[in-house]
């Protein structure tokens, strides 16, 4: 249910959901190629997009929930989860832009991935940690 309610669910839900969508798209594209008799290259743009935008979003979406949980119990937990959910559009835009650029085999994908990692690191930097 990626829609208006999903944006309220936050970064974790959206990253995991869109990451799985990238993996399904990659499986469909490579599956059609294989059934059609075409060869698939081991590191095509689709494979790179599945690794970065698919697996990467699932991993970072999971960490966006797990790290605040490990950082401390309530009330710190609620504040940390809110910090990780703030501005969910930015990392989603960067991650999916990186995926699109990787499919197109455009060199700008490196910058989108780097900006996405910097955004996640900035979110980690503002978390409250246990004493």
């Amino acid at each position: 249910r990626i829609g208006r309610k999903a944006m309220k669910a936050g970064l974790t839900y959206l990253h995991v959901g869109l990451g799985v969508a990238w993996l399904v798209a990659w499986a469909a594209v490579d599956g059609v190629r294989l059934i059609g008799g075409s060869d698939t290259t081991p590191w095509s743009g689709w494979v790179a997009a599945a690794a970065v935008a698919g697996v990467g979003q699932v991993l970072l979406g999971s960490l966006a929930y797990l790290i605040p949980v490990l950082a401390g119990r309530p009330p710190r937990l609620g504040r940390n989860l809110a910090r990780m959910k703030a501005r969910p559009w930015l990392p989603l835009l960067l991650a999916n832009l990186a995926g699109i650029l990787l499919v197109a085999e455009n060199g700008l994908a490196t910058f989108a991935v780097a900006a996405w990692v910097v955004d996640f690191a900035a979110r980690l930097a503002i978390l409250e940690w246990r004493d």
Side-chain angles (χ1 to χ4, degrees):
R1 296 182 352 176
I2 307 260
R4 204 169 7 154
K5 289 183 179 182
M7 286 302 281
K8 293 178 185 174
L11 186 61
T12 302
Y13 177 81
L14 291 168
H15 262 322
V16 171
L18 289 173
V20 169
W22 273 101
L23 294 171
V24 168
W26 166 61
V29 167
D30 272 3
V32 167
R33 284 183 187 163
L34 287 172
I35 290 171
S38 298
D39 289 335
T40 58
T41 56
W43 285 104
S44 68
W46 271 105
V47 174
V52 173
V55 175
Q57 283 193 94
V58 170
L59 179 64
L60 287 184
S62 300
L63 289 174
Y65 177 77
L66 179 63
I67 291 173
V69 168
L70 295 176
R73 58 181 190 262
R76 185 180 302 129
L77 175 61
R79 293 190 300 258
N80 281 341
L81 286 173
R83 287 182 176 113
M84 290 303 279
K85 290 180 181 180
R87 300 177 329 275
W89 59 269
L90 179 62
L92 291 171
L93 173 73
L94 293 171
N96 292 295
L97 176 64
I100 292 167
L101 291 172
L102 285 167
V103 168
E105 297 181 4
N106 188 317
L108 294 175
T110 304
F111 295 107
V113 172
W116 180 30
V117 170
V118 166
D119 176 73
F120 192 77
R123 290 171 189 274
L124 291 177
I126 62 172
L127 294 182
E128 297 175 35
W129 297 93
R130 293 180 186 190
D131 296 333

